[in-house]
Every structure is written in C-alpha cells, then in structure tokens.
Amino acid sequence: MNNAPIGVFDSGVGGISTLHACMDALKNESFVYLADRSGMPYGNKSHGEIASRVDACVETLLAEKVKAIVVACNTATNVGIKMLREKYRIPFVGVEPAVKPAVEACKHGNILVLLTVATAAQSKFQELVSRWDNGRLIIAPQHDLAEQVENRIDDISALRCEVHKILSRYRRVEGVVLGCTHYVFLRPLIDEFYDGRIKIFDSGVGAAKRLGFLIKENALETDSYRRSLKFLVI
Ligand code: DGL
C-alpha cells in the first residue's frame, strides 16, 4: 500500500486529457498534474532540449513524492521514456500515437496520424510505424497546432477554420489518430469535419489501463478513500 500521489505531466494542458482517463480508471488515487509551460512547445524542440525539460519535470514531481509518473505527452515519451526508466526506480507510463488500435480497427481506408514534428522525427515512432504500416497510414506532422490549442483552450471552436483547413487535405480517411495529447481537445472539430463518419483514436484510456496494471503489480495501491488533485505550472 502507498498513499503517495501519482504524477502526470505534459508541456501544457494537453496531458489533462490523459489525467482524466487515469482519474476515471483509478478512482481512489491522488494525482499531481504538472504543466511545463516554460518548455512549451516540445514539438518543435531538439531531442536534447526535450530530454532536459523531461528531466526537469520528473525532478519537480519527485519533489512532490509521487509514487509513479505518467508522461502524458507523445513527444516527451518518444524522446525520454527509455532514459527515465533507466535513471529512476519508480514506474513510468508513456503515451504513444494509437497506431496499432487504428490499424486493427480500420480495415479499408486511410488512417491519418496527426502528431508533432519532434515525435515524427523520433526513431521510436518510426519503429512503431514500420511495425504497423499497412500502406494506408498518412503521417502528418503539425508545426504549431499544439501551441494553438494551448493558447485557445478556453475557446477551442476558435480553431475550427485552422483544423478544417488541415483536414481538407485529407478528405478520404477512415480513421484519425490523435498523436499529440493537445489534439484530444480538437476531437469535436475533427468529428464535425468528417460528419461523424470516421473513427478517432487517442492514447488516454490505454495509458490509464497500463497505469492501473503497474500500480497493482508494484503493490502501490492506496488504501485511502480521500483523493486529492494538485496542479503545478513551471
Ligand atoms: N502534448 C504533447 C504531445 O503529446 C506535445 C505538445 C508540444 O508540442 O509541446 O506530443
């Protein structure tokens, strides 16, 4: 048993979508959410810059005495999860673009994978693609979409034109993979563009399931019925 909180971080608000999924799945656990706004956007940074932001986030969360950490960012996971697992002893959960579930569910049409430039450049992502490539994956890195979501989080509909402009290049798709946690907030706009006819995939529920498994496997479950939630911004 362990009543310490679980840490979750991203470059900004994006990881809150993952936090929701984790809080839903682990009803009694407490959480600390860290938004690295001074590191935002990760998606246009170099490997080394992202790795040092990831390290700063983990150190900040460890100072909060967390018992496990969810890297609620595809970009940070692709760059840093291996290094984190080697360096620290607590369990880490990462998120990666939901390419596998999309390939399994979309049997005929194209699958549009929206992600950051930095994620698309990582060898971890390229390995994922080569494992699941069925000739129908469209990899579409976006330069500043995460930053736009961050800046418009109070009025996401203001991004309607921008999102529809991006999607108008990819009209014939069967599924869309949201390969950046910020893009999860764009789901209603994407759904609207395709008139609700396509499948949309994100990594939140998968990460929450994995977190539940690791908490159990490492005997880290809380026995408290009073959960807490704390937000930090650096
Ligand atoms: N939300 C992050 C991800 O999942 C990236 C956002 C950023 O570019 O900082 O990739």
Side-chain angles (χ1 to χ4, degrees):
M1 289 297 158
N2 186 322
N3 292 336
I6 296 164
V8 180
F9 77 90
D10 185 24
S11 59
V13 297
I16 291 175
S17 55
T18 314
L19 173 70
H20 274 151
C22 293
M23 291 188 74
D24 249 19
L26 286 82
K27 299 269 187 239
N28 294 331
E29 298 291 343
S30 291
F31 288 85
V32 179
Y33 184 83
L34 172 64
D36 179 15
R37 292 214 70 187
S38 46
M40 171 87 207
Y42 287 176
N44 297 339
K45 289 192 164 53
S46 69
H47 189 286
E49 286 170 322
I50 299 165
S52 80
R53 291 314 306 169
V54 166
D55 223 25
C57 290
V58 168
E59 289 296 336
T60 305
L61 287 171
L62 289 177
E64 297 290 319
K65 310 240 177 304
V66 297
K67 61 185 174 189
I69 291 181
V70 180
V71 183
C73 171
N74 295 263
T75 312
T77 299
N78 274 274
V79 169
I81 198 87
K82 190 165 177 283
M83 173 266 288
L84 293 175
R85 288 182 177 138
E86 283 163 7
K87 187 167 170 187
Y88 300 99
R89 294 177 66 88
I90 62 166
F92 285 91
V93 174
V95 293
E96 66 176 8
V99 171
K100 173 178 182 273
V103 168
E104 286 171 347
C106 299
K107 299 290 182 208
H108 308 291
N110 289 331
I111 300 165
L112 175 63
V113 184
L114 298 171
L115 73 180
T116 68
V117 173
T119 298
Q122 295 304 311
S123 53
K124 189 174 182 329
F125 174 72
Q126 285 158 9
E127 281 159 25
L128 177 76
V129 169
S130 57
R131 199 171 331 130
W132 293 100
D133 196 5
N134 56 4
R136 291 184 282 110
L137 291 178
I138 303 169
I139 310 302
Q142 303 299 315
H143 280 272
D144 60 0
L145 191 56
E147 212 173 351
Q148 292 195 52
V149 171
E150 185 78 19
N151 295 334
R152 291 297 194 150
I153 194 67
D154 291 334
D155 181 18
I156 281 295
S157 60
L159 297 178
R160 176 172 286 109
C161 281
E162 178 62 23
V163 169
H164 287 197
K165 192 169 126 203
I166 293 167
L167 298 178
S168 61
R169 290 173 218 138
Y170 313 103
R171 286 187 184 276
R172 293 162 65 89
V173 300
E174 185 180 352
V176 174
V177 174
L178 305 175
C180 165
T181 51
H182 279 75
Y183 304 166
V184 178
F185 293 100
L186 300 173
R187 185 187 274 264
L189 299 180
I190 296 173
D191 209 31
E192 172 189 274
F193 178 85
Y194 292 109
D195 293 325
R197 281 180 287 101
I198 56 140
K199 305 175 189 88
I200 303 179
F201 302 86
D202 72 60
S203 319
V205 171
K209 271 195 191 145
R210 180 75 190 147
L211 177 64
F213 173 81
L214 286 179
I215 291 291
K216 212 169 186 170
E217 187 185 56
N218 290 281
L220 290 173
E221 293 139 304
T222 184
D223 62 1
S224 163
Y225 289 97
R226 289 181 53 200
R227 74 180 345 189
S228 64
L229 173 61
K230 181 171 175 179
F231 282 94
L232 297 174
V233 178
I234 55 173

